[in-house]
Amino acid sequence: MHDVLIALLTGNRSVDQRMWRSFWDRLHDGALQPGETVALLTSLSTRMPDQSTLSALLRSLDERRPPVDVRLDDTVNIVGTGGGPRTFNISTASAFAAAAMGVRVVKTGSRAYSSTCGSFDLLERLGIGLTVSYGQTEATLERFGIAFPGHFVYPREVMALAKSILPLDLRTLGGFINKVGPFLAAMPVSAQLVGVSDPSLLPGLRHIAAAVADRKIWLCANDLGIDELVSSVDNVIYTNDGSGEIQLRADAPGRAPGGITELRPAGDDTTVVEHFLGVLSGNGTSLATRTVCWNAAALAVAGGLVEEWTEAIAAAEDALRGGGALDLVNRLRAQPAHRAADPRGVR
C-alpha cells in the first residue's frame, strides 16, 4: 500500500509534497494496486486531511500543471464548495448579474455532485458553451465580460482518478474533490469569491487562502449552510488580503427558517431553464432576487468596480429588473458552442 494511504488511513502523520508526488507518478504510470485510488478518495471524502497534508496535496498538483501565460486582470471568479441545502443556481445567476453591471466575471464549476443541476448542467441546457482554453476564456471575456471555463482548468490527476475507479462513480466517492474544487481550478484572476457550505471546512480553506498571494480570496459562509451569501440571514466573509472579516447583516432577521424555500431549485427538470431565466428577469421571489444581488454585489466590491455595498446591491437590482442580465444570457445563447480547442492551443 502506498505511503500516502497508510498515512491517511492511520492518521498518525501528515503527507508531504514528496509523498504526494510519488502517488501521482504511480497513478499515471498505472503502478498503483487495485483499489488504492478508491481508498484514497474514500479516506479524503470521509475525513478532511490536516492543513499540512491539504496544502502539500494542492502544491503537488500545481507543480504538475502546464504553465499558464494568461493573466485575467480585474476579473473575479465565483465558485462554491457545494453541499448544504439544495437551491437554484445562485452563483451562476449572480455571475450574469455582476457581468451586466460591468464586472469581469468567470464562473468555474462542474456538473452536479450534491445538487440536482450543477452549473455545467445548467449552461448545457441554456445552450451556452464552456471555453476550452485560457486563450478562448480571455477572448470571451473581452467580448461579453463573462466566461465559463471548462474542465481544462482542473488538474489532469482528477480525470485520472475518475477513470481509475470505474465502474464506480466520482460523484459518489469524490466529495473531497468538490469541497476543494475552488482551489483546484487554475484561474489567473484578480479575486475569487468562494462559498463554503460546511463550517468545518473553513479552518483548512482559510489556511490555504492565506498562502495565496496572486489573488484576493473571499470565503463566505452563513448558518444555513448554503455556499453563497443569503440575504435573509447574517453572513460572514473571511478575506486573505488583510482587510479582516466582513459582516453582512440579514435584510429581515428571522425570515430564514421559512424563507429558504424561496431559494429551492425548480420543481422538475423541465422547468430549470424557465425558473432560472425568471430569476434573471427580476421576476423571482423577493429572497431569490435579493440573494442574487448580494452575491453580484460581492463580485463588484471584491473586483474593485464599486466600493460601497449598498451601491453595488442597487446596481445589481438594476441589472436584473432592467433586463441587462437576461440580455447577456441571450447574447451568449446565440453563440455557437465551443467544440474545438483554441487555435493557439490549451495553455
Side-chain angles (χ1 to χ4, degrees), residues 221-226 228-236 248-257 260 287 291 294:
N222 55 66
D223 289 341
L224 292 178
I226 294 176
E228 290 96 8
L229 301 172
V230 179
S231 67
S232 61
V233 294
D234 294 344
N235 301 260
V236 60
L248 294 179
R249 300 300 180 188
D251 266 348
R255 280 192 57 195
I260 190 174
L287 179 57
T291 293
W294 273 36

Side-chain angles (χ1 to χ4, degrees), residues 240-312:
N240 74 332
D241 58 1
S243 59
E245 297 179 8
I246 300 172
Q247 302 285 338
L248 294 179
R249 300 300 180 188
D251 266 348
R255 280 192 57 195
I260 190 174
T261 59
E262 299 180 28
L263 301 178
R264 295 296 188 198
D268 59 73
D269 287 348
T270 63
T271 58
V272 167
V273 169
E274 179 185 359
H275 177 270
F276 182 78
L277 296 179
V279 173
L280 278 190
S281 303
N283 296 323
T285 65
S286 174
L287 179 57
T289 298
R290 289 289 286 179
T291 293
V292 168
C293 289
W294 273 36
N295 287 276
L299 293 174
V301 176
L305 182 70
V306 183
E307 291 186 4
E308 296 295 330
W309 280 88
T310 52
E311 178 186 349

Side-chain angles (χ1 to χ4, degrees), residues 31-252:
L32 292 173
Q33 297 298 314
E36 285 193 297
T37 51
V38 173
L40 176 80
L41 290 170
T42 302
S43 175
L44 292 174
S45 297
T46 302
R47 182 180 61 191
M48 181 64 72
D50 63 83
Q51 294 179 3
S52 177
T53 295
L54 184 56
S55 295
L57 185 158
L58 294 175
R59 290 196 305 271
S60 74
L61 292 174
D62 284 340
E63 70 181 3
R64 306 175 76 90
R65 302 179 193 267
V68 179
D69 58 0
V70 167
R71 180 69 192 171
L72 305 176
D73 291 324
D74 303 317
T75 302
V76 189
N77 181 19
I78 179 171
V79 62
T81 61
R86 292 186 174 183
T87 66
F88 72 93
N89 301 83
I90 296 171
S91 58
T92 306
S94 304
F96 280 114
M101 294 165 58
V103 184
R104 283 167 53 95
V105 182
V106 294
K107 169 74 179 82
T108 55
S110 66
R111 292 196 179 275
Y113 273 78
S114 56
S115 64
T116 54
C117 182
S119 60
F120 284 8
D121 302 305
L122 174 64
L123 293 167
E124 182 177 70
R125 295 182 189 190
L126 287 168
I128 295 174
L130 307 175
T131 62
V132 298
S133 72
Y134 290 106
Q136 195 171 66
T137 303
E138 185 179 35
T140 303
L141 267 174
E142 290 299 319
R143 183 173 181 184
F144 297 102
I146 190 171
F148 300 93
H151 297 288
F152 71 92
V153 301
Y154 295 101
R156 61 179 183 146
E157 286 72 22
V158 173
M159 183 60 70
L161 284 171
K163 290 180 178 179
S164 73
I165 66 173
L166 291 173
L168 299 178
D169 190 352
L170 190 62
R171 296 188 187 191
T172 302
L173 292 176
F176 171 79
I177 302 295
N178 209 38
K179 291 173 183 176
V180 300
F183 294 93
L184 290 177
M187 281 309 304
V189 294
S190 301
Q192 182 169 316
L193 180 67
V194 179
V196 182
S197 60
D198 182 353
S200 70
L201 300 178
L202 283 169
L205 297 185
R206 292 183 69 183
H207 176 77
I208 295 170
V212 176
D214 65 346
R215 65 190 183 278
K216 178 189 300 183
I217 295 178
W218 285 7
L219 302 170
C220 63
N222 55 66
D223 289 341
L224 292 178
I226 294 176
D227 65 342
E228 290 96 8
L229 301 172
V230 179
S231 67
S232 61
V233 294
D234 294 344
N235 301 260
V236 60
I237 298 175
Y238 302 95
T239 70
N240 74 332
D241 58 1
S243 59
E245 297 179 8
I246 300 172
Q247 302 285 338
L248 294 179
R249 300 300 180 188
D251 266 348

